[in-house]
Amino acid sequence: MSPLQTPHATRVLEDDLLARTPSRLYVDGRWREASDGMILQVEDPATGTTLATVANASVQDARDAMDAASRAQSSWAKTPARTRADLLLAAHQTVLARAEEFALLISLEMGKPLDQARGEVTYGADFLRWYAEEAVRISGRWSDSPDGRSRLITMKQPVGPTFMITPWNFPLAMGTRKLGPALAAGCTAIVKPAPQTPLTMLALAAVLEEVGVPRGVVNVLPTDRAENVAGVVIGDPRLRKLSFTGSTRVGQQLVRDSADGLLRLSMELGGNAPFLVFADADLDRAVEGAMIAKMRNMGQACTAANRFLVHHDVASDFGSMLAERMTAERMGRGTDPDVTVGPLVDERARIKVGELVREATSRGARLTTGGHAVAGPGYFFAPTVVQGVPADARILSEEIFGPVAPIVEFGDDDQAIALANGTPYGLVAYAYTADVDRVVRVSEDLEFGMVGVNQGIVSTAAAPFGGVKQSGFGREGGPEGIEEYLALKYVGLAV
Ligand code: NAP
């Protein structure tokens, strides 16, 4: 059987799940078609066939969602924190109780292997729990003025209705990373998921409805008319905040668009993560970490290692060990239990990855494995390692967003740091070394919002995720994440 022929029993399970997954907009606590009756098609990236059709929100739907979020804001803000927390906890438990269904849905519409989709469910659900725990710890301060004549009271209040725009690569987690802290803080939300992957967010909205989140508090608008829909919401004076995860180019545009409204902003943008391997690193461990940092989501993560910077002495060994692991990967539809590498999200993405590899090899880089698109249905690209990549190759300066590992050699620590920092991006960097002094030096010198030391993954609900430079600003996760949704108020009280 070819890896793309799905067994009958699995097909029945998938069809049943898709039939039960909401396919309409969720506005003001009601499921409804788009006001102009438009739909959008959700594709299976492993086969190129249509999985489902979903209501395609119009600007009128955006206005209605804004009305609903605005109407619900005041009572949601006044809902006791413990009640908000309990709703989030119930949502966490429900998502976990349906973990297999969520994982299958993510895998179907996004393409990642089921095991990775299960990982996303655990990770994504954890933001609901973490912020349930934080909701009851929002606190202010009481102090005396220096002259003793007044009391200074500071309080934290919800920012207000928030617009959330999410990408396709983590359809659940990119949503819960915003909804968890926003709902915990007392903000209402309008969510615009990516048009490639709206099903997971609609399934999450159904969970939030089921556990009792009041109408209007969460509204979900799948659409392929992003600019028009976002224009209406961002231009509405009742909106207080925009939280965006996506490319730097779109983020920059949205920052400009939100200038008139002076919106509070969180911008989780693109990356160009360096993965440093020093000569003293445990190479087995480094290769293990490299596989996670590179291959999670088929390289389609903002945190994906984009450049492997490896010391001269170990570059050859590291390259061949990594190539061996990459060659052993099993490509196929993510829903097949043995598959470790799924398809890319669409043909455009696959063409771009191919172009970056070709440009590098045409300028002298050597292919150790892979380097080509895979024939047949779906958007598969072979796991690839390229060595001896020239310093000015495009593949080192652009987000690859595919299963391709370019290796560049360095001679000393200063050169490694200079290469690593030589990018306008600053989301995450990885470093493998056994030397504690070097860990401290390197962690301090890397101009990135996050550093993974001897580990190829940094994401956890308990830590502040986010970047510097062109990777944006704002943090999601950790105690810091809820602050993005809180406004500080000071009251001076004469005594
Ligand atoms: P994208 O093209 O910027 O799209 C992201 C979201 O923005 C989608 O929902 C998209 O909808 C929407 N969008 C695009 N143009 C818009 C506009 N003018 N107004 C309002 N919304 C608009 O990014 P992508 O290719 O989907 O996602 C990959 C990017 O996200 C990569 O750069 C990756 O690094 C970044 N990312 C960052 C993080 C992080 O936490 N830092 C996490 C994950 C991904 P349409 O598709 O309909 O345009």
Side-chain angles (χ1 to χ4, degrees):
M1 190 178 69
S2 112
L4 293 180
Q5 278 176 334
T6 313
H8 179 69
T10 313
R11 190 77 242 174
V12 169
L13 201 76
E14 290 172 8
D15 288 347
D16 174 58
L17 175 62
L18 289 168
R20 285 186 287 115
T21 302
S23 59
R24 291 180 292 172
L25 314 178
Y26 186 59
V27 178
D28 201 15
R30 295 203 170 79
W31 297 93
R32 57 183 242 193
E33 302 298 342
S35 64
D36 57 6
M38 298 290 276
I39 52 162
L40 64 87
Q41 301 205 329
V42 184
E43 196 187 48
D44 177 346
T47 61
T49 56
T50 300
L51 281 174
T53 54
V54 167
N56 187 350
S58 66
V59 294
Q60 183 55 47
D61 298 314
R63 285 192 197 103
D64 293 347
M66 190 65 242
D67 288 347
S70 172
R71 261 196 312 272
Q73 179 56 55
S74 160
S75 62
W76 182 242
K78 291 191 171 74
T79 300
R82 180 64 76 196
T83 307
R84 298 199 303 266
D86 285 346
L87 289 169
L88 284 169
L89 266 186
H92 170 256
Q93 281 156 11
T94 308
V95 170
L96 288 191
R98 291 179 201 159
E100 279 304 300
E101 292 193 357
F102 269 99
L104 183 55
L105 209 49
I106 291 170
S107 180
L108 282 171
E109 63 176 348
M110 189 269 151
K112 71 182 74 177
L114 260 183
D115 258 0
Q116 290 188 29
R118 290 186 183 108
E120 181 180 343
V121 175
T122 312
Y123 170 59
D126 224 18
F127 287 94
L128 303 172
R129 176 170 58 180
W130 177 271
Y131 287 106
E133 291 159 349
E134 290 297 302
V136 292
R137 318 220 187 288
I138 299 167
S139 62
R141 202 173 68 223
W142 174 288
S143 60
D144 296 350
S145 65
D147 63 10
R149 289 203 294 236
S150 56
R151 299 293 170 262
L152 317 177
I153 303 164
T154 53
M155 60 181 87
K156 290 179 180 174
Q157 296 180 308
V159 169
T162 300
F163 186 32
M164 303 168 175
I165 303 179
T166 55
W168 46 265
N169 58 353
F170 292 91
L172 180 71
M174 295 304 99
T176 54
R177 235 163 60 162
K178 300 185 190 305
L179 281 170
L183 299 188
C187 297
T188 61
I190 300 167
V191 188
K192 192 209 82 60
Q196 297 94 333
T197 57
L199 299 173
T200 306
M201 182 54 62
L202 291 170
L204 178 66
V207 167
L208 295 171
E209 176 187 43
E210 195 179 314
V211 300
V213 172
R215 61 184 278 197
V217 171
V218 175
N219 305 275
V220 181
L221 298 178
T223 184
D224 62 9
R225 298 176 268 181
E227 213 170 322
N228 297 342
V229 163
V232 166
V233 180
I234 292 172
D236 192 303
R238 295 169 295 178
L239 188 74
R240 292 285 180 276
K241 180 175 170 79
L242 168 64
S243 177
F244 173 72
T245 299
S247 62
T248 296
R249 183 185 60 78
V250 174
Q252 288 164 332
Q253 183 56 48
L254 292 171
V255 171
R256 285 190 283 269
D257 294 347
S258 32
D260 284 348
L262 289 175
L263 296 176
R264 280 275 296 267
L265 296 172
S266 301
M267 289 282 145
E268 298 285 351
L269 309 178
N272 181 357
F275 188 105
L276 292 91
V277 183
F278 292 91
D280 62 357
D282 174 336
L283 278 198
D284 288 323
R285 215 170 152 198
V287 170
E288 199 58 49
M291 288 303 291
I292 298 168
K294 181 73 255 179
M295 296 305 286
R296 194 160 71 113
N297 247 15
M298 293 72 75
Q300 301 172 118
C302 52
T303 51
N306 212 58
R307 301 169 289 152
F308 288 86
L309 309 178
V310 188
H311 190 273
H312 288 319
D313 292 354
V314 292
S316 168
D317 284 352
F318 177 82
S320 44
M321 288 163 76
L322 185 62
E324 196 179 319
R325 286 289 301 274
M326 295 281 251
T327 313
E329 294 284 293
R330 177 147 189 264
M331 243 184 302
R333 193 167 187 250
T335 49
D336 177 337
D338 300 327
V339 159
T340 55
V341 181
L344 297 184
V345 72
D346 55 27
E347 185 58 21
R348 201 161 54 109
R350 182 162 74 159
I351 289 170
K352 182 190 168 186
V353 173
E355 276 171 10
L356 291 177
V357 172
R358 263 193 307 284
E359 199 253 0
T361 51
S362 72
R363 307 198 27 228
R366 299 182 312 281
L367 273 177
T368 315
T369 185
H372 54 87
V374 177
Y379 311 116
F380 292 90
F381 196 92
T384 299
V385 177
V386 258
Q387 288 187 273
V389 181
D392 57 351
R394 272 178 61 203
I395 203 167
L396 300 178
S397 60
E398 292 180 31
E399 252 186 322
I400 304 169
F401 249 54
V404 178
I407 298 180
V408 175
E409 298 184 19
F410 68 80
D412 61 32
D413 288 18
D414 288 346
Q415 192 193 1
I417 295 293
L419 284 170
N421 288 341
T423 167
Y425 295 99
L427 188 61
V428 61
Y430 306 92
Y432 275 74
T433 174
D435 180 340
V436 177
D437 287 346
R438 182 178 278 134
V439 168
V440 175
R441 229 174 25 247
V442 164
S443 303
E444 289 177 357
D445 289 349
L446 285 168
E447 295 166 356
F448 292 82
M450 302 174 284
V451 180
V453 179
N454 295 330
Q455 59 181 48
I457 188 165
V458 293
S459 309
T460 157
F465 185 105
V468 296
K469 296 162 70 180
Q470 300 263 312
S471 292
F473 46 80
R475 293 295 180 266
E476 292 187 327
E480 294 82 2
I482 199 165
E483 300 295 335
E484 302 278 322
Y485 296 90
L486 292 168
L488 205 59
K489 182 184 279 177
Y490 144 64
V491 176
L493 177 68
V495 287

